[in-house]
Amino acid sequence: MIRLRTPILTALAVVTLAVAAAAERGTDGELRMLYWQAPSILNPYLSGGTKDIHAASLVIEPLARYDEHGDMVAWLAAEIPTLDNGGVASDLKSITWKLRDDVVWADGTPFTAEDVAFTAAYCMDPSGGCASLASFQGVGSVEAVDDHTVRINFDVPMPFPYAPFVGSILPILQQRQFEDCMGARAPECTEENFAPIGTGPFMVDDFRPNDVVRYVVNERFRDPDKPAFSSVLLKGGGDAVSAARAVLVTGEFDYGWNLQVEPEILQEMEQAGKGEVVTAFGTLVERLVINKTNPDPKLGDTRSTFQDGGNPHPFLADPAVVRALSLAIDRDILVEAGYGPAGQVTCNVLPAPAVYASTANDWCLTQDVEYANRILDEAGWERGRRGIRAKDGVRLSILYQTSTNSVRQGTQALIKQMWGEIGVETELRNINASVFFGSDPASPDTYQKFYADIQMYTNNFDGTDPQAYMTGWICDKIPGPANQWNGSNISRYCNPRYDELAAEFAETGGIEQRAALAKRMNDLLVSDGAMIPLIHRGEVAARALTLGGMRHNAWDSTLWNVHEWHRIE
């Protein structure tokens, strides 16, 4: 695989585990992984859930990935296109990918450029509800030049042309399997979405949504000596503490994902000597997402829908209220109680790489209850007999939801107490993580539906360039019935100025200029009250001491190099 360093792909140091010599294909038995958030679908284009993206990444692959240092590496492509090798056009209006010639689908059919072009059409269909549509911003067409060459044409010059098909959220789908699943039919193709045919090291053997995925080795995988494991069990459910215990204490599993567990508990478990905790900092941010629309159940089918701006939230549409809520939070206490060394206070939704990190929102670093109260006083929110503020018959009463997890419930309790100091009433709700981060458009409990005032979760982006990520908050990315509730703009935030900055960002080259625009976009999201950033989180996982080859990655799927994992003594 070919590594490329560019000025805008800043490498950050993360933990790299020692690698022992791997076994031959299929000789190391079963790899056992525990994801306490169980996958609900294996098509990442129909889900924004990290657990679904990771589960799919064992099977379906992109043209390029990001390694554990944040560097781009060729995957299904033969090389990374650049200006120097002619892959990126001099006018920056197209990028041409040369595909590897040793790749076939798991069913034995050829992998070609037609599959890549089809995948673009699949995601770009406006009625399909593609969760990754922001990555195709500015794409005019995708064409198969020949069997092993695909060209992506942009409507305008694209200084960073690597958004489409790079990273685990943008794998290639087999046209033969998905050609009858376009547009509104996409979520109806259960067989395809639950068992995609891929080019990766494993194939789906059995999938039980919100429970377990079983994989077997793909005998047609391009490396004849890999993977070392003959099968994979990806078990879902439970909680983060039990996932950590299953690796670090009992040794029942080889890998435990997303260990959002109190640091003192992890340290105690690690002393059992069965495994170790690994942490890598990327772009993960635990945040409070603010619903800018009205989630009142009395609205029926229009609750939490944008309605072209005609359904504003009764009080969270006011940025002053959101600023007061943010000022009332002591983020240092949240880090100390729930994260330890795996957490850092942040006031930005875009905290890394460092060149993109704004300092304009540093007012949030220090809790200021007095100032928060003054803001609400000046805005006319008066305290009632029970101390709860109200104005014009509207009470500052918040339904605050998140996924079920001990650290998150602890964070909820602390924030509820802090908001009480400024006269805000808070009702707490937690939802099973597999459901909350699920993809069922009929479920009322998904984070996309957002039937609450505020919700808390962590999000990030693949790689080190934030263009596609920051584009996710433009107006036409708002979830709703028309896009199967799969839009990336969960806040329902809409500001034409933000859309203009996103368009300018897509056409701007040079790291300093791009960084300046990214900071302005970040600052708008904060000042307009689309969200309240809380904690810059490290990606925490556990691996058994008998598991070799793992290179913990915060810039892509943590399972990005699972074909290299193997058993060691």
Side-chain angles (χ1 to χ4, degrees):
M1 293 165 191
I2 305 162
R3 173 177 293 176
L4 172 77
R5 289 185 182 272
T6 73
I8 54 178
L9 296 177
T10 305
L12 297 184
V14 295
V15 175
T16 303
L17 302 178
V19 180
E24 296 179 359
R25 173 181 286 179
T27 58
D28 278 352
E30 183 177 66
L31 171 64
R32 297 173 61 84
M33 301 191 293
L34 192 53
Y35 270 58
W36 59 274
Q37 296 176 13
S40 57
I41 193 171
L42 298 180
N43 179 356
Y45 289 106
L46 298 184
S47 174
T50 303
K51 50 157 175 108
D52 301 326
I53 295 167
H54 285 197
S57 70
L58 283 75
V59 178
I60 46 181
E61 305 176 296
L63 297 183
R65 290 195 187 278
Y66 294 94
D67 69 10
E68 73 273 27
H69 305 295
D71 296 324
M72 199 183 302
V73 292
W75 212 257
L76 294 181
E79 63 181 0
I80 302 294
T82 65
L83 283 167
D84 290 342
N85 64 24
V88 176
S90 58
D91 63 2
L92 304 180
K93 294 189 70 173
S94 70
I95 181 172
T96 301
W97 291 87
K98 297 288 187 180
L99 308 183
R100 295 177 61 136
D101 59 9
D102 59 348
V103 178
V104 297
W105 294 102
D107 63 1
T109 57
F111 165 73
T112 73
E114 292 289 350
D115 295 301
V116 182
F118 166 79
T119 303
Y122 174 91
C123 184
M124 293 171 68
D125 190 309
S127 61
C130 179
S132 299
L133 188 58
S135 296
F136 290 89
Q137 188 78 11
V139 173
S141 64
V142 179
E143 56 180 319
V145 178
D146 56 44
D147 282 352
H148 294 99
T149 308
V150 63
R151 180 182 299 118
I152 301 173
N153 300 301
F154 302 107
D155 294 328
V156 295
M158 195 69 66
F160 185 82
Y162 301 107
F165 308 123
V166 179
S168 59
I169 66 171
L170 294 156
I172 310 303
L173 301 178
Q174 187 192 51
Q175 178 177 10
R176 179 180 179 184
Q177 183 183 27
F178 281 88
E179 59 187 351
D180 293 329
C181 301
M182 295 286 288
R185 286 212 59 211
E188 300 172 3
C189 292
T190 302
E191 182 177 348
E192 292 82 356
N193 295 329
F194 284 6
I197 295 169
T199 57
F202 295 99
M203 304 185 302
V204 178
D205 182 50
D206 182 39
F207 177 40
R208 301 173 194 171
N210 300 321
D211 183 12
V212 66
V213 192
R214 294 184 181 275
Y215 308 83
V216 294
V217 69
N218 174 11
E219 296 293 351
R220 293 187 173 92
F221 185 59
R222 54 195 172 274
D223 189 327
D225 296 323
K226 296 173 182 175
F229 290 102
S230 59
S231 62
V232 178
L233 170 69
L234 193 159
K235 182 72 178 74
D239 54 54
V241 175
S242 61
R245 184 180 297 111
V247 178
L248 299 173
V249 179
T250 67
E252 299 170 80
F253 284 82
D254 301 301
Y255 174 77
W257 169 77
N258 189 23
L259 301 185
Q260 195 171 12
V261 178
E262 292 82 353
E264 63 273 12
I265 294 177
L266 288 178
Q267 292 169 7
E268 182 179 349
M269 288 183 180
E270 203 170 21
Q271 293 175 7
K274 294 289 184 67
E276 68 174 343
V277 176
V278 292
T279 304
F281 275 92
T283 57
L284 274 178
V285 173
E286 188 85 3
R287 81 282 305 272
L288 299 176
V289 180
I290 309 300
N291 195 341
K292 307 302 280 188
T293 62
N294 194 340
D296 190 339
K298 295 178 182 177
L299 295 175
D301 292 341
T302 62
R303 67 185 299 201
S304 287
T305 58
F306 182 57
Q307 301 294 308
D308 293 325
N311 186 33
H313 193 281
F315 57 86
L316 291 176
D318 181 358
V321 174
V322 180
R323 186 180 180 95
L325 293 173
S326 182
L327 280 166
I329 298 171
D330 189 332
R331 289 163 173 79
D332 288 316
I333 288 180
L334 302 185
V335 170
E336 181 182 350
Y339 297 89
Q344 303 168 357
V345 169
T346 187
C347 300
N348 298 314
V349 69
L350 182 58
V355 67
Y356 294 109
S358 172
T359 59
N361 310 299
D362 285 358
W363 50 264
C364 99
L365 294 175
T366 303
Q367 182 191 38
D368 195 335
V369 174
E370 180 181 353
Y371 184 31
N373 274 309
R374 189 162 67 249
I375 288 174
L376 295 176
D377 289 338
E378 292 172 354
W381 294 95
E382 299 179 354
R383 289 182 183 267
R385 285 181 300 174
R386 294 176 49 216
I388 305 304
R389 293 180 181 271
K391 182 172 71 171
D392 299 330
V394 177
R395 287 163 54 88
L396 290 187
S397 182
I398 290 172
L399 175 58
Y400 167 17
Q401 70 180 21
T402 189
S403 60
T404 305
N405 170 270
S406 63
V407 172
R408 285 197 167 130
Q409 269 67 81
T411 300
Q412 278 186 306
L414 289 168
I415 290 178
K416 176 179 180 177
Q417 180 181 350
M418 295 168 188
W419 284 347
E421 296 182 44
I422 62 170
V424 175
E425 180 180 59
T426 308
E427 177 187 348
L428 303 180
R429 183 180 185 225
N430 66 83
I431 302 168
N432 179 280
S434 298
V435 175
F436 185 66
F437 295 112
S439 58
D440 182 0
S443 172
D445 295 324
T446 64
Y447 78 106
Q448 297 101 324
K449 281 286 182 70
F450 203 173
Y451 287 168
D453 302 297
I454 289 177
Q455 60 187 2
M456 179 174 68
Y457 57 85
T458 300
N459 201 358
N460 69 337
F461 58 93
D462 281 355
T464 56
D465 186 89
Q467 179 178 318
Y469 180 65
M470 299 304 287
T471 301
W473 284 282
I474 64 175
C475 297
D476 69 2
K477 298 297 186 290
I478 293 174
N483 59 14
Q484 313 293 332
W485 299 95
N486 267 322
S488 55
N489 187 350
I490 305 299
S491 296
R492 284 76 162 138
Y493 168 73
C494 185
N495 181 340
R497 179 56 185 144
Y498 188 90
D499 285 23
E500 292 172 2
L501 289 173
E504 185 180 353
F505 190 39
E507 300 176 18
T508 299
I511 186 63
E512 292 183 1
Q513 294 83 358
R514 289 174 69 81
L517 284 169
K519 289 175 183 178
R520 290 170 65 188
M521 295 168 73
N522 172 90
D523 296 345
L524 265 184
L525 292 174
V526 175
S527 63
D528 286 353
M531 66 192 62
I532 300 175
L534 298 174
I535 299 160
H536 182 197
R537 283 180 50 192
E539 295 216 17
V540 181
R543 69 146 195 131
L545 296 181
T546 57
L547 180 64
M550 177 188 169
R551 290 188 272 158
H552 195 34
N553 191 339
W555 305 105
D556 205 301
S557 165
T558 57
L559 309 181
W560 72 289
N561 74 323
V562 70
H563 64 291
E564 297 177 338
W565 294 15
H566 55 270
R567 189 73 64 202
I568 56 178
E569 298 298 331

